Amino acid sequence: MSEPTGSSPVAAVAKVAKAAESASAGVSRAGLIGISVGVVAAGAAAGVAIERLTVGRTMRRRARQELDAAAPYGSLRGRPRTVPAPDGTELYVELDGTGWPAPVQVHPEDGRTGRGWFTRRRGDGQVDRTGLPGVLAGSGTLAGAAGRRSFGATHEPRPPLTVVFCHGYCLAQDSWHFQRAALREGMRLVFWDQRSHGRSERSRSYLAGENASIDQLGGDLKAVIDAVAPEGPIVLVGHSMGGMTVMALADQHPELFRERVAAVALIGTLAGDWDSVTLGLPAAGAKLLRRLAPGVVRLLGRQVELVEATRRLGADLTSVVYRRFSFGTKDVDPAVVRFSEQLLDATPIDVVAEFYPAFSAHEKIAALATLRGIPTLVLAGTKDLLTPPEHSEAIARELPEAELVLVQDAGHLVMLERPELVCRRLAALLGQAVEHVGAAALPQSVHDLAAPDGSPEA
């Protein structure tokens, strides 16, 4: 991958460093700012890491401003629409990719510049007038259990896959930036913001006094699928809370998985036993956390204005916390780190409080049986403190045919920290989905992405 054209994160930070040097009359440059060369999250370009502890508050603020102006992350947009959830909450959805019947314009958001590292030009000649990829020859049937839908009784084109992405807690659909850019060409992609997150409406049922639940999110996912992809094979991709959402859907609608789900990806998630997560604390600290955290989060959720003001004033401290629980190493592009901070900062504290209690009630080990026989990818970082890898291993034990991938030294936001690996694994899963259900052939770009390059990944 090559670095984006135009103003790059490296150039942005270099600009700040130069300003710091000119302002440091008589003071050691190293005493003001430390710069270390690291590996960019995609693993290909050099990045510059800002050493927070040796840079003054003003310089750190200027560095953030430079990175915000230079970074293209989160700028990709598709065709927007809203879908009503069962309780009437308006869910924000975007249809992306060039494989839809009416071509979806793929472009950065207005007012944003730059291109993500995976951004591809829209293919020409890859989509015919029916909206299906031009390589759709032949017919097929859904493989597996009896009663699955037949797509190939006649010689009509086989239906394409629709890939639905479900984001995690305190994030938004833009957390899939790299995967979105990598898979746009010739594919049908669906991205949506979970209720109360991103551009979706604040949960109406919660505002009316009903507690949030993962089961409710499963119902939301069903509403999105019914509205934007009511027919044809689907692939469900979920990260963290999004993976739990997929499990809730499996629990509520096993027939959907028998008839239409062609593959599933569960990334950095768990099927239950949330209260065993220690967040990397020693035993005594973890025990105290389990006892105090629910009440503290609930209290903070009632002091929104105070907490948000404190959040802004304590940006340096929250940045350290965000990084510790998001990434496994320091070798992450600073622009990606800043992007993750922006996603997390955009989630109000009362939304954090709304969903936190729901995780203790999430127990979907039994629902995993619905996924048996369906191509499934279970992927996690070995340094994930929020959904530790042993939880992915527990999921894989319930799904012995699933592919378990543990990404060495990656943290919770593995799709941002190791995007090339995650994109490659997803592309391979899509190939398995096509074989599993007899769906339309994938575009060449996806085949190329899935092709192993011989280098170790995980």
Side-chain angles (χ1 to χ4, degrees):
M1 294 177 299
S2 60
E3 191 163 326
T5 57
S7 180
S8 71
V10 172
V13 179
K15 186 177 179 181
V16 175
K18 184 176 180 181
E21 185 173 349
S22 64
S24 64
V27 181
S28 167
R29 173 179 158 193
L32 287 175
I33 185 167
I35 299 177
S36 62
V37 177
V39 179
V40 175
V48 180
I50 304 169
E51 300 294 339
R52 298 182 183 280
L53 297 180
T54 58
V55 186
R57 183 182 300 273
T58 299
M59 294 309 302
R60 287 195 295 271
R61 183 168 60 250
R62 289 180 61 186
R64 292 191 191 99
Q65 291 171 347
E66 291 285 355
L67 291 172
D68 292 349
Y73 308 118
S75 63
L76 302 179
R77 299 265 66 88
R79 181 194 304 152
R81 62 173 295 175
T82 57
V83 172
D87 69 345
T89 300
E90 293 292 333
L91 304 172
Y92 180 79
V93 181
E94 288 186 4
L95 308 185
D96 209 336
T98 60
W100 293 94
V104 174
Q105 183 179 5
V106 292
H107 57 82
E109 189 173 15
D110 291 342
R112 299 294 300 271
T113 60
R115 294 172 57 193
W117 292 324
F118 285 113
T119 302
R120 303 172 185 270
R121 290 183 302 171
R122 181 173 168 184
D124 48 54
Q126 293 299 312
V127 181
D128 64 18
R129 60 187 177 85
T130 67
L132 304 179
V135 290
L136 306 185
S139 59
T141 58
L142 273 170
R148 288 195 174 188
R149 182 175 303 183
S150 171
F151 290 123
T154 66
H155 292 289
E156 62 188 30
R158 293 177 292 172
L161 297 175
T162 299
V163 189
V164 184
F165 289 82
C166 309
H167 69 78
Y169 180 48
C170 299
L171 297 171
Q173 63 176 263
D174 290 341
S175 62
W176 297 110
H177 174 88
F178 290 110
Q179 292 69 43
R180 183 177 196 147
L183 297 172
R184 283 176 134 184
E185 186 176 329
M187 296 296 296
R188 297 186 180 193
L189 309 178
V190 177
F191 298 90
W192 65 293
D193 292 336
Q194 304 254 28
R195 63 173 57 227
S196 297
H197 290 71
R199 294 173 172 84
S200 285
E201 186 183 14
R202 187 67 192 273
S203 173
R204 295 187 184 184
S205 57
Y206 182 78
L207 295 177
E210 180 182 333
N211 291 334
S213 71
I214 303 300
D215 286 336
Q216 186 177 48
L217 301 182
D220 292 351
L221 176 54
K222 181 62 162 58
V224 170
I225 292 171
D226 289 346
V228 305
E231 298 180 345
I234 54 178
V235 175
L236 302 176
V237 182
H239 168 251
S240 189
M241 187 175 75
M244 302 177 199
T245 301
V246 172
M247 297 176 211
L249 178 66
D251 189 39
Q252 296 164 14
H253 296 282
E255 77 286 349
L256 181 69
F257 286 72
R258 289 192 302 268
E259 297 169 0
R260 295 188 55 204
V261 175
V264 174
L266 302 174
I267 300 173
T269 190
L270 47 77
D273 200 23
W274 161 256
D275 290 333
S276 70
V277 176
T278 67
L279 300 181
L281 297 173
K287 183 177 180 181
L288 183 64
L289 173 73
R290 285 194 293 271
R291 189 170 76 245
L292 297 180
V296 171
V297 171
R298 186 166 56 250
L299 177 63
L300 293 176
R302 295 171 181 167
Q303 305 291 331
V304 178
E305 293 184 4
L306 176 62
V307 172
E308 294 302 325
T310 305
R311 220 166 163 183
R312 291 189 294 273
L313 292 174
D316 295 331
L317 175 60
T318 56
S319 293
V320 172
V321 173
Y322 287 162
R323 179 156 191 160
R324 171 169 172 74
F325 290 100
S326 297
F327 304 107
T329 70
K330 294 182 179 180
D331 294 329
V332 182
D333 176 13
V336 172
V337 174
R338 177 59 182 154
F339 173 49
S340 70
E341 292 174 2
Q342 291 172 319
L343 287 171
L344 294 165
D345 272 337
T347 307
I349 188 62
D350 50 335
V351 174
V352 177
E354 176 182 340
F355 285 90
Y356 186 82
F359 300 126
S360 293
H362 171 69
E363 293 291 341
K364 289 293 184 286
I365 286 289
L368 293 175
T370 301
L371 277 59
R372 290 174 186 162
I374 297 173
T376 301
L377 169 67
V378 182
L379 184 148
T382 61
K383 291 188 177 180
D384 188 336
L385 298 178
L386 296 178
T387 53
E390 52 263 32
H391 288 274
S392 289
E393 292 173 329
I395 293 173
R397 285 195 294 272
E398 297 294 322
L399 301 170
E401 296 179 359
E403 179 185 18
L404 174 64
V405 178
L406 299 182
V407 185
Q408 290 300 315
D409 297 328
H412 190 59
L413 299 187
V414 61
M415 67 283 190
L416 292 174
E417 186 172 8
R418 298 289 298 279
E420 281 190 322
L421 185 155
V422 174
C423 290
R424 183 174 293 117
R425 294 291 185 171
L426 286 178
L429 181 69
L430 296 179
Q432 296 173 35
V434 166
E435 294 180 3
H436 180 61
V437 301
L442 296 171
Q444 187 60 45
S445 60
V446 177
H447 285 295
D448 293 343
L449 185 61
D453 58 9
S455 60
E457 290 189 326

